[in-house]
Amino acid sequence: MIYTIIGVIILILALILLAILLIPFHISFYIQKREMNISGYFKIRWLKIRLIQRDIPAEKEEVKKEKKERKFNIEQLLKILNQFFEAFDYLKPLIPAFLKSINLEKLSIDLNLGFYSPVDTAMINGYLWSLSSILNTIPIISISTTPDFQKSKLDGSFELNLKLKLLWIAIASLKAFTKKPVRDLIGSLRDLNK
């Protein structure tokens, strides 16, 4: 009886782990600048459940945290740099695994550009229009720019929506973590935060 209960608990935990690795997380980022006002948000959702939502600019907290003063240690920094170069060959597979795990759902950029010189404004906006005409052929990408010949300014909005599946990242991370140089690097980075 006890083995059945333990088996069911292990099976449920394995299914939860598989769901976390296989069902993608939805990441949304939006930022907008108009004159001197900057606003936006950052969200992470999974199964339509909002896990994280942060507004930009973040609300200031009343509680002040005590900051520990860190002393700069060049020897420790050089040691970490050497360990990084030793572990780099084992960390390289994380980059294609990360790129394989990301699926771009939407990229939208809307700019309002102006420079002191109308000639510079026209030239830069012309370059951006030619670039955007190529990129806008991809259905999930929308890039637009509007020139402002009256004053110098940079306003606009940026929106990015991604799907991130953790399976390939987890596999590549486990493979990398089995190598001693990677574990040494992680240990040194942990010691750096103490």
Side-chain angles (χ1 to χ4, degrees), residues 79-80 82-91 94 172-192:
K79 177 184 171 189
I80 290 173
N82 285 334
Q83 287 176 335
F84 175 76
F85 287 125
E86 288 175 13
F88 185 72
D89 288 337
Y90 305 115
L91 294 173
L94 284 172
S173 298
L174 285 174
K175 283 182 183 176
F177 193 71
T178 61
K179 308 302 182 196
K180 187 174 184 332
V182 175
R183 289 193 307 268
D184 291 342
L185 175 64
I186 291 171
S188 296
L189 288 172
R190 231 187 269 155
D191 292 340
L192 187 66

Side-chain angles (χ1 to χ4, degrees), residues 13-169:
L13 291 175
L15 288 175
I16 291 171
L17 180 64
L18 276 175
I20 290 172
L21 293 176
L22 293 175
I23 298 173
F25 289 82
H26 294 270
I27 301 169
S28 301
F29 176 73
Y30 176 78
I31 191 160
Q32 175 181 6
K33 178 187 177 289
R34 298 283 180 244
E35 299 297 326
M36 297 302 289
N37 298 326
I38 297 176
S39 62
Y41 61 82
F42 175 75
K43 289 186 210 174
I44 297 178
R45 293 177 295 129
W46 185 67
L47 291 175
K48 300 198 178 197
I49 300 168
R50 187 175 58 224
L51 301 176
I52 296 173
Q53 179 170 352
R54 299 286 183 262
D55 291 330
I56 300 171
E59 295 178 13
K60 295 181 181 177
E61 296 179 7
E62 297 287 328
V63 180
K64 293 182 180 177
K65 297 178 182 177
E66 292 183 23
K67 293 183 180 179
K68 289 192 269 182
E69 289 190 29
R70 293 186 195 174
K71 294 184 179 178
F72 185 73
N73 188 347
I74 191 74
E75 292 172 6
Q76 192 175 20
L77 185 65
L78 290 174
K79 177 184 171 189
I80 290 173
L81 195 59
N82 285 334
Q83 287 176 335
F84 175 76
F85 287 125
E86 288 175 13
F88 185 72
D89 288 337
Y90 305 115
L91 294 173
K92 271 196 297 191
L94 284 172
I95 297 168
F98 185 74
L99 293 176
K100 187 176 183 179
S101 299
I102 287 181
N103 186 11
L104 181 65
E105 291 182 317
K106 180 180 180 181
L107 173 65
S108 176
I109 301 172
D110 182 23
L111 294 175
N112 187 354
L113 290 174
F115 298 97
Y116 288 114
S117 168
V119 175
D120 291 340
T121 302
M123 189 172 66
I124 297 296
N125 278 285
Y127 291 143
L128 291 174
W129 281 335
S130 62
L131 178 67
S132 67
S133 66
I134 295 167
L135 293 175
N136 286 339
T137 59
I138 302 169
I140 57 175
I141 296 177
S142 171
I143 299 174
S144 66
T145 180
T146 307
D148 188 342
F149 295 106
Q150 303 300 319
K151 56 184 173 180
S152 176
K153 69 192 271 185
L154 172 59
D155 286 344
S157 64
F158 176 83
E159 183 176 5
L160 177 68
N161 293 333
L162 300 170
K163 278 199 294 191
L164 177 66
K165 198 180 289 186
L166 296 179
L167 177 66
W168 302 114
I169 297 171

